[in-house]
Structure formats: structure tokens, C-alpha cells
Amino acid sequence: MSGFKRVLIILASVATVLALAVGGGALWLYSGAKVSTVGRGDFRNELAVPPLAESTVTADGTRVFDLRMQAGETEFQDGQKTPTWGFNGSYLGPTLRAERGEKVQVRVRNTLAEASNVHWHGMHLPATMDGGPQRMIAPGTTWSPSWKITQPAATLWYHPHPMGETEDHVQRGLAGMFILDDTASRALALPDTYGVNDLPVIVQDTKFDGARFVHAHGLTRTVGFLGDRTMVNGTLDPYKEVGDERVRLRLLNASTARTYDFGFDDSREFSLIGTDGGLLEKAAATDRIQLSPGERAEIVVRVRPGERTVLRSYPLDIGQDFYNQRFNGGDDTFDILELRAKKQLRRSPALPTALGKPEVPDGSHAVRGRSFDLALPGINGHKMNMGRVDETVTRGTTEIWTIRNNNGMPHNFHIHGLQFTVLSVNGREPRPALRGAKDTVFLPSGTTVKLAMRFDGPADPDTPYMYHCHLLSHEDQGMMGQFVVVEKGRKAGRPAATHTHQGH
Ligand code: C2O
Ligand code: CU
Ligand code: CU
């Protein structure tokens, strides 16, 4: 054989080996990317229910809560102590609860070794109380925002919002629920005994290496962190015994990147009664409810005496391309929570036919429109800059915001300080799950949504509110912008960049 031929043969076999390696690697990545915990959990742990936060009422009627951000250890798995953070405990935080019309104050003390902060997701409140990335809480200090509850009954939540580190701080365990009530919601015959037939269901995906959390992003995951199992309220393999015919679940997707499509293992119908901003006008019967990171839904499910039923998350059916379907979690399936019905169940009244009145605009009085193009690592081609105000809006006016994602990966869109109406999704009327008051909306690639929102918060030209992708690593990378609310004809001021960045 000539030397030349020999070289050719060697080259050819090197190419074949490479092709096989690449192909095999891709196949290995592809099949390894799909996760399912269906039928694998044993539901051996009783679901933890976050305690209702204690509060005191001052002479002027302000309800005062205390939250303490702290480091600790949590035993998610037998005998394994995982280093975690929490509010008033080692993981997650208590459920805050207040009534429309009430004044509240939350004294947030940071006992961590680094700066963090707290944002009240979904709350209508002045920008100075909102807890955006400017409002950091240095270690050893306390921040005490106060505001009046001016919005309808809803399931909201709270979590840190430090520039570039939100995913990390939430994953370590800093998150909690904030439930609002009002006289109308109290009068409704809905399951409302907290922890009994009205359950907070904080869903997070997670991954362990022994006792420790693994928070690295997989190579192929453009959405950020995706775990290989889920927990509810910090409980792995959770079950909950229920003693009522009808059970209300307040679902919160507190995961940092994963979108769920919740249903039950027998695909039974349930009633969707509320979304991010509160109760729907009327219940919608469905067998699935999709929630992207940050979104909430209140559902009521019927159980039969003695049965067990599992809340499951199904593969997403949203027409994603094959890459996103597989590598960004769309094919995954999780058994989330087992409900165990007692042999004897208390009768529950039928659901009321009329529920809430979402207080969101229909867009007919909009004075202007704006467009936002979501493309990593920014919005409208800009990365977040705390010294720049991106949009200036006039207090008391309604606008229509058009949000577009053609970025080849899923995003969502969240705005602070208000709730909006989803007017359309790709030009069509939104499905029932998007017809209430929303503050976060999912945008798979190839989606355009039109939102109507009214800026009722107090004018403050110097303190911005945020809007951003709530896939937290995208937010951290800069998919976030700032807007200020001003009185008519006024200009934006200059945001004070009081950000104190500290590593860990
Ligand atoms: Cu829940 Cu700006 O976030
Ligand atoms: Cu928010
Ligand atoms: Cu995103």
C-alpha cells in the first residue's frame, strides 16, 4: 500500500470514529435529557405546609410581619443535611396573609453573610416598597417596607431579586407565599381552611448530589437550571391526607426555569378558579393547567372517599421544536404530590357560579402601545442597566404592550406593581387560563402576546419598577428592563444605583 493510500485510510477511519463519537454523544445527550419520575416516587413524606406568619397590629391598624433571612440546613432526604437558606426557618418561608384595605409592614432582617433583598411578586405597591434590585438589604440590617393592600384576593409570593443572583438566592430556598383576602372572596363557598382543604403547593424542581444541591445548568439547557425531581413546599415525594370532598390547591411555580403542565394521573377534570392576580369571573373546567416560572393558579379538585390521586406534570403540548421539547424539559413528566382521601369525607358545597371580578383593563382606553422583543441576553437589544430607565409611563393611563419571542427558546414576561389582561396570543383570543388578571405570561418561541395594563401606582420618577423574563437565569443575564411611573408630562429622574454587589 502506498504511503498516500495509507494516510487516506487513516483519515477515513478517524472521520468515522469522530462521526460515531459525535452521533453517539448526541444520542446520549438526547436520551439522557428526558426525565420522568412517574411511578418512581413512593410518596413517603407528609407534605410540609408553610406556617401562617404571625403578625401584630399597631395602634394605627398596620399589620406587621417579621421575616428573617437566614442560613441553615434542611433534611430533605433521611440523614442528609443540605445547606439551605430560608425565611424564619431553614428553607422557604411562612405564608403571609392580609386583607384588602389593610396596611401592612414587613420587617425583613438579613442575617445572611451577604446582601440579598425581597420582592413582593404580584403586589400593587409603590416602587420604593417593591424590592427591585436597587433595594438591597445589607447583611445585619433590616428593611421595613409598608403599603396598603389595594387589590383583590389573590395568591402572590415573595422572593429575592438581587442583580445577577436571583436564580441562586431562590434556589437556596428563599421564597414564600403571600395570600390576600377580601370581603367578596371570604363570602364565597370555596374551600378556605388553610393547610386542610386550602393548600399552598409551591413546586420546585431540584437535583441532589448526596446531601448537596446541584445547581449547575446542563450543557444543552438554554432555559437555565432543570432538576431531575420535584418537591412541594420543600418536601420530596410528598403526600397529603385530605378529609374534604373538594380541595383547593394554590399552585405556585417557584422553579427557576421549568414550565409545568399540571393535571392528575387519571386526567380527571378540575376547576380552575384563579390565576396570578386572583379569582376568575367563573370557574373553568379543565384537565390541565400550564404554569411557567412565577405563575400561579388556584384549582379545586374533587376526591372520592378512600382514593389516592396524584398531581402530575405532563409533557408540554405547545408546538415547540424538537430541541426545546427535549432539551428544555418539554418531554419531562413528574409525579408531584399524592392526595390521600380519607374513608369518610366532609361534604363540600358546590362551587359558586360567580367568583371574582378581575380589576384589569380591557384595552379600550389605551393611550399608547410599546413593543418588547425578548432575545437573550436582553430585551429590545439591551441588557439590563440599573442606571438606565427604559420606559416612562404616565400614572393613571392604560397602555398596550406587545411582547414577542422569536428567540428559539422559551421565555416568559413578568411586570412589577400591577396585573394585566392578556388580549391576544398570536392574534387569537387567549384560552380561559389566561383570561383573568395576570402578572406573568409564558411565551414559547414563536409567540406574540398583547397585554393591556393600567399604571395606577403612585408616580415616582426616580424609582423604577422592573419587567423581565422570569426564567431566573435569563433575568440574571440581563433580560430585564426598568420603567418609572410619572405624572402627566413629567420626565423620568435618575435611578439611584444603590446596588451593593457581594460575592459568596
Ligand atoms: Cu417574581 Cu421581578 O419577580
Ligand atoms: Cu414581580
Ligand atoms: Cu427567558
Side-chain angles (χ1 to χ4, degrees):
M1 205 184 299
S2 75
F4 179 66
K5 220 172 171 187
R6 186 177 310 232
V7 168
L8 273 187
I9 289 170
I10 292 173
L11 278 179
S13 34
V14 167
T16 309
V17 167
L18 267 180
L20 282 175
V22 169
L27 188 65
W28 176 77
L29 277 176
Y30 182 77
S31 41
K34 181 170 162 177
V35 177
S36 173
T37 62
V38 167
R40 293 214 261 125
D42 51 5
F43 306 109
R44 57 211 282 254
N45 301 312
E46 188 178 355
L47 177 73
V49 174
L52 285 170
E54 283 170 24
S55 59
T56 52
V57 178
T58 61
D60 77 342
T62 304
R63 183 172 297 284
V64 182
F65 299 95
D66 284 289
L67 288 180
R68 182 188 155 90
M69 307 172 94
Q70 59 190 74
E73 291 179 322
T74 306
E75 201 173 314
F76 299 103
Q77 314 165 87
D78 294 335
Q80 308 252 44
K81 292 199 169 27
T82 304
T84 51
W85 288 357
F87 293 98
N88 301 359
S90 68
Y91 193 76
L92 297 179
T95 297
L96 275 56
R97 193 154 195 172
E99 183 95 17
R100 185 173 196 170
E102 235 174 5
K103 251 192 94 182
V104 297
Q105 179 179 52
V106 192
R107 300 187 293 217
V108 189
R109 177 150 192 83
N110 181 4
T111 73
L112 300 168
E114 64 185 275
S116 187
N117 69 349
V118 180
H119 161 63
W120 319 101
H121 180 130
M123 195 74 75
H124 301 186
L125 75 187
T128 47
M129 308 298 166
D130 184 52
Q134 276 85 7
R135 193 62 195 80
M136 293 302 286
I137 312 172
T141 66
T142 300
W143 176 52
S144 304
S146 63
W147 66 94
K148 188 172 172 183
I149 308 290
T150 58
Q151 66 196 96
T155 301
L156 312 181
W157 66 302
Y158 59 95
H159 63 78
H161 219 294
M163 191 66 209
E165 295 182 323
T166 297
E167 184 185 50
D168 180 60
H169 288 205
V170 173
Q171 282 181 320
R172 286 165 183 260
L174 293 174
M177 213 172 246
F178 202 140
I179 296 177
L180 301 182
D181 303 294
D182 60 23
T183 39
S185 73
R186 282 187 188 285
L188 293 171
L190 290 173
D192 61 359
T193 311
Y194 182 81
V196 176
N197 59 19
D198 180 355
L199 305 173
V201 179
I202 304 174
V203 183
Q204 297 176 298
D205 62 340
T206 188
K207 190 170 183 174
F208 290 91
D209 176 10
R212 306 193 77 85
F213 281 142
V214 177
H215 287 155
H217 298 176
L219 195 64
T220 55
R221 316 293 207 182
T222 57
V223 287
F225 170 81
L226 292 176
D228 58 6
R229 60 197 300 192
T230 54
M231 53 189 178
V232 179
N233 304 342
T235 310
L236 291 167
D237 296 315
Y239 76 86
K240 176 70 184 172
E241 194 175 64
V242 292
D244 290 85
E245 249 174 31
R246 285 187 167 85
V247 182
R248 177 191 202 161
L249 303 179
R250 296 179 189 256
L251 302 170
L252 158 61
N253 181 355
S255 306
T256 65
R258 184 178 287 287
T259 296
Y260 299 94
D261 198 10
F262 294 111
F264 289 87
D265 54 347
D266 57 358
S267 285
R268 73 183 57 193
E269 222 170 57
F270 55 86
S271 302
L272 174 70
I273 61 166
T275 56
D276 297 341
L279 296 169
L280 296 171
E281 250 168 83
K282 54 183 180 17
T286 181
D287 60 359
R288 295 284 188 276
I289 175 73
Q290 177 189 292
L291 294 182
S292 70
E295 289 184 288
R296 289 87 66 210
E298 295 184 32
I299 65 171
V300 174
V301 61
R302 287 189 74 158
V303 293
R304 289 177 292 266
E307 75 163 340
R308 293 182 175 194
T309 183
V310 177
L311 176 70
R312 182 171 282 174
S313 176
Y314 285 92
L316 296 179
D317 181 16
I318 49 172
Q320 289 185 105
D321 61 82
F322 128 98
Y323 184 94
N324 282 304
Q325 191 65 26
R326 177 54 62 105
F327 290 112
N328 280 328
D331 286 336
D332 298 350
T333 325
F334 295 97
D335 276 352
I336 307 277
L337 168 67
E338 185 180 67
L339 295 178
R340 297 184 184 167
K342 288 187 182 156
K343 295 229 163 55
Q344 298 286 333
L345 294 176
R346 278 184 290 270
R347 297 282 300 273
S348 308
L351 288 186
T353 45
L355 297 170
K357 288 196 183 55
E359 297 174 13
V360 279
D362 62 7
S364 57
H365 294 102
V367 299
R368 67 168 283 180
R370 297 175 204 255
S371 330
F372 299 85
D373 188 40
L374 307 179
L376 206 63
I379 300 179
N380 289 341
H382 299 292
K383 281 173 71 166
M384 166 75 172
N385 176 339
M386 291 209 294
R388 180 189 71 224
V389 173
D390 297 281
E391 309 291 339
T392 303
V393 305
T394 303
R395 190 185 62 80
T397 63
T398 298
E399 298 195 358
I400 293 180
W401 285 20
T402 303
I403 324 293
R404 188 174 70 126
N405 172 14
N406 278 328
N407 196 208
M409 69 181 84
H411 295 299
N412 70 9
F413 187 81
H414 167 56
I415 181 164
H416 287 202
L418 55 81
Q419 306 289 326
F420 52 72
T421 307
V422 181
L423 297 176
S424 66
V425 179
N426 288 340
R428 282 186 294 275
E429 197 192 350
R431 59 186 191 281
L434 298 178
R435 281 185 211 148
K438 294 282 293 167
D439 56 51
T440 308
V441 61
F442 186 45
L443 289 102
S445 187
T447 307
T448 299
V449 297
K450 279 193 188 303
L451 314 175
M453 55 188 82
R454 195 174 52 233
F455 301 91
D456 286 329
D460 181 345
D462 301 316
T463 314
Y465 292 101
M466 307 296 127
Y467 54 84
H468 57 89
C469 177
H470 216 289
L471 276 60
L472 297 181
S473 81
H474 290 178
E475 173 192 328
D476 287 341
Q477 287 173 63
M479 287 193 89
M480 176 153 66
Q482 313 196 94
F483 70 100
V484 292
V485 179
V486 300
E487 294 296 353
K488 195 171 176 175
R490 294 301 176 86
K491 287 211 171 63
R494 193 174 267 268
T498 53
H499 171 56
T500 52
H501 182 95
Q502 283 174 288
H504 21 268

